[in-house]
Amino acid sequence: MRTQVGIIGGGPSGLLLARLLGLAGIDSVVLERRTPEYLRARIRAGLLEQGTVDLLDEIGVGARLNRDKLVHDGVELVFDGKRHRIDLKALSGKSVTIYGQSEIQSDLMNAHEAAGTPILYEVDNVSLHGLTGEAAQLRYTRRGESHQLACDFIAGCDGFHGASREAIPKDVLRVYEKVYPFGWLGILSETPPVNHELIYTNHERGFALCTMRSLTRSRHYLQVSAEEDAAHWSDDRFWSELKLRLPPDVAAALVTGPSIEKSVAPLRSFVAEPMRYGRLFLAGDAAHIVPPTGAKGLNLAAADVRFLAEALVAHYKTGSAALLDGYSAKCLARIWKAQRFSWWMTSLTHRFPEASPFERRAQAAELAYITGSKAGQTTLAENYVGLPFE
Ligand SMILES: Cc1cc2nc3c(=O)[nH]c(=O)nc-3n(C[C@H](O)[C@H](O)[C@H](O)COP(=O)(O)OP(=O)(O)OC[C@H]3O[C@@H](n4cnc5c(N)ncnc54)[C@H](O)[C@@H]3O)c2cc1C
């Protein structure tokens, strides 16, 4: 089998790229390890920057998004039990959009099904070959048979635990990593959101976040130790702990209910450089991970793919390699700014077990500064809504 771009991974990055290429008349084949049912059910991100919403609209998968989305003009920070609203719209001119990643995944899969994009599910043992040669090749097994896919380029869209980053030689790849001493215990429930906008709480018992996926579906998170086992948290225990961390008026308004999903996610900052090795281009979580505090992971993935598709289209239409050659540096410039913001939001809103009394007082002073200064709020707002594409 032969294609122009072999895409490893059928998550948001891989499916967005396949769609952008397909609309430009460029062939691709997507190799995905999981089943379609698993991908449609996977609960993850929920907060989209305007640039991501625009991209979904441009590629013709925005109909359900535009019908069901919730638009937020602000966000709340809570510390010392007091609520402070940051008016994102007034400060940055932009809003953020709530629409679940599982819905985006379904919208993209439906569009690909209609367009007949070759997406091969349940592939195993994907390996990459010929990355610095005249042509690249993907080898994989499916339903017990071995296959080969010849391609001009390979897009590594296979997430943090995928095979593509591992194919870059160790003496070429530089890795930057920070692992946080805590994780997020999250639950999804069929309950109305406690507030129209997100509430980030810094409490002496730990961070808490009230967010949502729709007007009837809420997502809540608690800071827990990185080793915590979600099985030790009954729904009652979760709701009781959340109420302890929220301001009394929010706790009183909280509607609780059975969880549909409950899991612990470790928090990590990670960047792999460069994002190109010969005929291989990394995009999304394959190249970078952010702690979810800044809600940047899916948005960064969408930005990478936008740049990569532009570069591949330019290559096939004009023969110019300039955008492909500039891909890694262009993405990394924006990624590092989002890394900085996600690390900073995490540092501001969480309780670090090893923090000294001095560091705790400095954190409280920073929260007071941010919420009390228009300049401070503007810094938060313009990063939260998403930095411009340069
Ligand atoms: C709890 C949580 C909350 C989050 N909240 C937000 C948020 O609010 N906003 C935000 O922007 N981001 C958020 N994120 C991050 C966001 O979900 C990811 O950044 C996003 O899924 C990245 O998309 P991706 O396609 O690059 O990677 P993935 O979604 O990981 O997709 C990679 C795909 O590759 C497949 N794959 C892996 N290895 C192989 C292989 N060897 N062969 C074939 N296929 C393979 C996988 O099955 C998967 O389908 C959150 C993440 C988590 C875990």
Side-chain angles (χ1 to χ4, degrees):
M1 201 161 48
R2 194 180 191 298
T3 190
Q4 288 173 298
V5 183
I7 300 176
I8 315 174
S13 299
L15 295 191
L16 279 170
L17 181 63
R19 179 74 179 169
L20 281 160
L21 295 179
L23 291 173
I26 297 168
D27 291 338
S28 66
V29 173
V30 180
L31 304 182
E32 165 58 48
R33 192 170 51 180
R34 303 285 193 171
T35 62
E37 298 72 34
Y38 179 93
L39 296 183
R40 285 181 196 269
R42 189 163 56 188
I43 305 295
R44 288 237 187 124
L47 191 143
L48 308 180
E49 296 174 356
Q50 191 56 47
T52 306
V53 173
D54 293 344
L55 179 64
L56 294 167
D57 269 338
E58 278 164 43
I59 62 174
V61 296
R64 243 168 27 104
L65 162 72
N66 287 312
R67 192 192 66 199
D68 297 342
K69 69 183 175 183
L70 304 176
V71 175
H72 290 183
D73 292 341
V75 63
E76 287 194 26
L77 288 183
V78 175
F79 60 98
D80 288 340
K82 293 195 196 66
R83 301 169 66 175
H84 303 265
R85 182 170 184 269
I86 312 282
D87 192 333
L88 301 171
K89 185 80 186 278
L91 293 159
S92 71
K94 292 188 198 157
S95 310
V96 291
T97 295
I98 298 291
Y99 186 68
Q101 181 171 329
S102 48
E103 307 306 319
I104 295 176
Q105 181 79 34
S106 284
D107 294 342
L108 284 165
M109 287 170 66
N110 294 344
H112 280 303
E113 268 168 39
T117 312
I119 303 180
L120 307 181
Y121 295 100
E122 297 177 79
V123 303
D124 285 312
N125 305 314
V126 174
S127 61
L128 299 81
H129 305 271
L131 298 181
T132 53
E134 288 298 304
Q137 197 185 66
L138 286 168
R139 296 185 196 151
Y140 59 96
T141 54
R142 189 162 184 250
R143 297 177 185 148
E145 282 182 23
S146 301
H147 300 270
Q148 295 186 2
L149 174 65
C151 31
D152 301 337
F153 299 104
I154 296 173
C157 300
D158 47 354
F160 186 63
H161 301 287
S164 53
R165 192 178 64 249
E166 299 298 320
I168 302 180
K170 295 272 176 288
D171 58 339
V172 173
L173 197 72
R174 291 182 304 280
V175 164
Y176 303 85
E177 186 168 30
K178 179 175 174 62
V179 177
Y180 298 83
F182 41 72
W184 279 16
L185 170 66
I187 71 169
L188 188 71
S189 58
E190 292 291 355
T191 54
V194 68
N195 188 51
H196 170 58
E197 295 167 349
L198 273 66
I199 303 179
Y200 288 79
T201 301
N202 179 326
H203 188 274
E204 61 187 11
R205 297 179 68 89
F207 168 83
L209 174 62
C210 303
T211 178
M212 71 286 292
R213 293 292 177 267
S214 70
L215 289 175
T216 55
R217 195 172 258 209
S218 297
R219 185 85 166 141
H220 292 94
Y221 295 103
L222 290 175
Q223 176 185 345
V224 292
S225 93
E227 296 77 39
E228 191 66 63
D229 183 351
H232 295 154
W233 287 77
S234 66
D235 291 350
D236 282 350
R237 182 179 174 204
F238 183 95
W239 293 120
S240 304
E241 180 63 30
L242 180 62
K243 283 183 183 175
L244 289 175
R245 298 186 191 188
L246 296 176
D249 60 328
V250 180
L254 185 71
V255 179
T256 64
S259 62
I260 314 170
E261 196 263 357
K262 191 187 291 158
S263 55
V264 174
L267 263 65
R268 182 195 303 269
S269 302
F270 176 93
V271 181
E273 299 184 356
M275 289 169 63
R276 178 200 188 163
Y277 177 67
R279 295 180 176 276
L280 168 66
F281 294 83
L282 302 180
D285 280 17
H288 42 78
I289 295 285
V290 283
T293 327
K296 292 284 169 248
L298 177 60
N299 293 299
L300 281 178
D304 289 353
V305 165
R306 182 192 279 274
F307 294 150
L308 182 54
E310 271 170 20
L312 288 165
V313 171
H315 166 80
Y316 283 112
K317 300 275 184 259
T318 70
S320 167
L323 293 184
L324 287 175
D325 291 343
Y327 169 73
S328 179
K330 184 168 180 169
C331 289
L332 286 167
R334 197 166 179 278
I335 287 161
W336 272 110
K337 288 180 189 160
Q339 284 287 355
R340 184 211 67 83
F341 175 68
S342 302
W343 159 79
W344 175 79
M345 272 290 278
T346 305
S347 310
L348 189 69
T349 52
H350 288 68
R351 292 294 171 122
F352 286 71
E354 76 281 14
S356 66
F358 176 88
E359 286 163 332
R360 280 194 208 107
R361 292 299 293 262
Q363 185 195 55
E366 187 162 14
L367 278 162
Y369 164 67
I370 292 295
T371 51
S373 147
K374 189 169 179 198
Q377 290 182 34
T378 305
T379 292
L380 191 153
E382 70 177 5
N383 282 278
Y384 196 83
V385 301
L387 293 172
F389 299 101
E390 283 157 14

